[in-house]
Amino acid sequence: MEFRIDRTAFAEAVGRAVRALPARTPVPVLGGLLLEADAGRLAVTGFDFEAAVRVEAEAEVSVPGRVLVLGRRLLDVCRVLPEGPVSCALEASRFTVEADGTRFGLSTLPLAEYPALPAAPAPYGTVDAAAFATAVAQVAVAAGRDDTLPLLTGVQLRLDGGEMTLSASDRYRYAVRRLEWKPGAAADGVVEAAEGVVEALLPSRRLLDVARSLGRCGDVLIGWDPAGGGGLMGFEGGPTRTALRLLDGRLPAYKSLFDMAGAAVAEVECEGLAEAVRRVAVVAEANSPVRLDFSGDGSVMLRAGFGDDVAVQRLPATLSGADEMPVAFNPAYLLDALTSFESPRVRLELLGAGQRALLHGVPDAGAGTAEAGTHRHLLMSVKQLV
């Protein structure tokens, strides 16, 4: 095996593929990146049974071949390589990397012990890469972090006709975002028990990383094979192809939760409210709520802290459906919700202390955003007001 490749392209391919490697593993070969050189291309693959990432780059291949090298060590080498062409070769059991007089020798891992890579799911349709990255980021903040409850650590992806719906919940909040996507010929021909609807629960951290890495690729090709996909969903954009293994189960239905009949409605400038929450929460103890008192006089008063350690700030706001509405939220959850919106203003539908609150964006008149009416974030307010 022998090839030459541009240092930037090599480092980018290794850096993307290494994200699939596990932080710790009892299986040493899973810490390796598979490098395959053939016909003017270098493919770098990382795999840990839950995700497979394959990145291709142009290379001058003198001798085709395959090698398995410790991924994070190779990434460290790529980071310190000088700019310009990089020459790589397999010499017996050593993989050499050389650039501008600097030479590294790396030990290799046994290829025979490397697990078989999953087959790429069949193409199913496409979605705008930037819109997809934004949507995943907006809902992933509501996914759980407790790995003992894997169902709640996922983002549910639903494909129904020309609409994609992403949703996530950790029991205390529930985020939903809808966006357009373009079904392909394979999707048009699918007839399932659920009338052609596809639902897949994907690990949120993995999906967020995939969406971010593909955000500038123009379109993301989604791969799905309902007949024999092996529990995988694929995402391809530019030189990068990723397959994610699905989580078992599905999130609880949210339709009834998002029914806010009889709620008071408040509107406030989104960025200003987020900044005020950060400011007053400085005096709050861990997990202490921030109280918001909406009133019909056109303002909202934020309060946090206890005793002599308190902070307050008043902001302009509108309220309809009630003369006043006091609510309180976990400040971290409220900030996650507010910063997930791109709209300049946010509308809060409020049922009262200890009950649900539904947030969605309100665009400026004549200057709508893609998320308007399609992104909603449900929060549970704190029953005990401060």
Side-chain angles (χ1 to χ4, degrees):
M1 178 187 194
E2 188 173 344
F3 62 90
R4 280 169 60 87
I5 187 171
D6 178 74
R7 181 262 180 197
T8 301
F10 190 38
E12 183 175 341
V14 170
R16 289 189 178 187
V18 84
R19 294 174 182 170
L21 302 185
R24 298 181 182 84
T25 174
V27 185
V29 292
L30 290 184
L33 288 179
L34 177 64
L35 277 62
E36 301 171 284
D38 187 25
R41 305 290 292 177
L42 173 70
V44 185
T45 303
F47 178 57
D48 74 344
F49 292 109
E50 302 303 321
V53 178
R54 177 185 174 93
V55 187
E56 293 187 352
E58 293 184 1
E60 299 176 13
V61 180
S62 304
V63 180
R66 307 166 79 230
V67 66
L68 190 64
V69 184
L70 281 173
R72 290 187 172 84
R73 182 163 297 171
L74 180 58
L75 180 60
D76 289 339
V77 169
C78 289
R79 285 171 173 164
V80 298
L81 285 173
E83 293 295 335
V86 179
S87 298
C88 300
L90 180 59
E91 301 174 356
S93 62
R94 175 177 290 180
F95 181 69
T96 63
V97 181
E98 185 173 359
D100 194 23
T102 304
R103 181 181 173 90
F104 296 88
L106 303 176
S107 58
T108 60
L109 299 169
L111 271 170
E113 297 179 13
Y114 197 63
L117 296 172
Y124 200 70
T126 59
V127 63
D128 180 79
F132 181 63
T134 297
V136 172
Q138 288 175 319
V139 301
V141 297
R145 306 291 186 266
D146 186 355
D147 290 332
T148 64
L149 298 170
L151 171 68
L152 298 180
T153 65
V155 169
Q156 190 158 291
L157 186 152
R158 176 185 171 93
L159 304 175
D160 185 2
E163 184 176 81
M164 173 188 294
T165 304
L166 300 166
S167 55
S169 175
D170 64 358
R171 294 181 297 181
Y172 305 104
R173 45 192 174 166
Y174 208 135
V176 176
R177 172 68 197 272
R178 302 194 311 275
L179 66 159
E180 294 181 355
W181 87 298
K182 300 176 183 178
D188 292 338
V190 171
V191 179
E192 298 184 83
E195 299 180 357
V197 175
V198 169
E199 286 191 342
L201 187 63
L202 297 152
S204 63
R205 281 174 286 190
R206 298 280 197 184
L207 183 61
L208 184 60
D209 187 57
V210 169
R212 284 172 174 167
S213 68
L214 300 179
R216 298 182 180 180
C217 291
D219 286 327
V220 173
L221 176 64
I222 294 179
W224 171 258
D225 186 357
L232 296 172
M233 180 163 277
F235 303 89
E236 182 175 350
T240 305
R241 185 169 66 220
T242 303
L244 297 181
R245 192 166 300 280
L246 310 186
L247 298 172
D248 293 330
R250 57 178 296 180
L251 295 179
Y254 58 83
K255 185 175 181 180
S256 61
L257 293 174
F258 281 44
D259 181 2
M260 302 294 288
V265 178
E267 280 192 23
V268 64
E269 198 269 326
C270 191
E271 186 176 345
L273 180 57
E275 184 58 35
V277 172
R278 293 189 190 96
R279 189 173 293 121
V280 301
V282 167
V283 300
E285 299 292 336
N287 299 319
S288 294
V290 168
R291 175 170 172 165
L292 286 73
D293 286 289
F294 290 95
S295 62
D297 65 0
S299 69
V300 55
M301 177 69 80
L302 282 76
R303 309 170 189 264
F306 295 95
D308 293 331
D309 296 325
V310 295
V312 298
Q313 182 172 347
R314 187 179 296 275
L315 295 174
T318 64
L319 178 68
S320 60
D323 294 331
E324 59 182 30
M325 177 59 67
V327 287
F329 299 101
N330 177 306
Y333 288 179
L334 180 56
L335 277 173
D336 282 344
L338 292 172
T339 55
S340 71
F341 288 96
E342 295 181 320
S343 301
R345 294 180 64 80
V346 65
R347 179 174 296 151
L348 300 90
E349 298 181 39
L350 306 167
L351 293 175
Q355 301 188 62
R356 306 186 308 277
L358 183 63
L359 286 68
H360 46 95
V362 181
D364 282 336
T369 62
E371 68 170 6
T374 63
H375 174 212
R376 294 175 292 170
H377 195 114
L378 190 78
L379 284 177
M380 285 301 299
S381 62
V382 179
K383 186 175 182 178
Q384 182 66 42
L385 297 180
V386 296

